[in-house]
Amino acid sequence: MTARKVKSSPRVDESPIQWTRADPAALAAFNPDSKACTMNCGKHAQDPRSYAEVRFLCNDCESARKSVHQALAESLAREAALRAELDALRAFTRNA
């Protein structure tokens, strides 16, 4: 019995897919946990991008919901800022 010859196909070093790359400064400021995946995003075997870059560029990922505690803290901060602005306006109108 003789061994069969295995046909080898020429190997292509270049990826046929042109991967969109993110701006490095914008990517550095991006928090991957701020987006929730809705499409089971994953990397292609030849994709040179990081997980964070894939998530940053994905148009299907949605902004992650804030926890109740975060939302309450932001709401209270906005309320305090509005009250301070209202007090400043009242003081201005009394002096005018």
Side-chain angles (χ1 to χ4, degrees):
M1 183 181 246
T2 61
R4 292 171 44 188
K5 285 187 177 180
V6 177
K7 292 183 179 179
S8 62
S9 59
R11 192 169 170 109
V12 178
D13 291 335
E14 227 177 272
S15 175
I17 301 172
Q18 297 297 320
W19 304 103
T20 303
R21 301 308 298 258
D23 175 43
L27 183 59
F30 174 69
N31 177 8
D33 295 330
S34 66
K35 284 180 111 177
C37 179
T38 59
M39 298 295 290
N40 195 21
C41 303
K43 289 176 48 170
H44 185 274
Q46 296 175 344
D47 190 348
R49 303 173 297 175
S50 67
Y51 167 79
E53 189 173 5
V54 171
R55 180 74 50 105
F56 177 71
L57 294 171
C58 181
N59 293 328
D60 294 321
C61 292
E62 297 175 348
S63 295
R65 293 183 184 160
K66 296 176 184 170
S67 72
V68 173
H69 301 292
Q70 288 173 325
L72 179 60
E74 289 178 5
S75 177
L76 291 173
R78 279 194 308 270
E79 181 182 1
L82 288 172
R83 287 184 186 276
E85 184 180 354
L86 182 59
D87 290 341
L89 286 172
R90 284 183 180 149
F92 178 75
T93 54
R94 271 189 242 137
N95 295 335

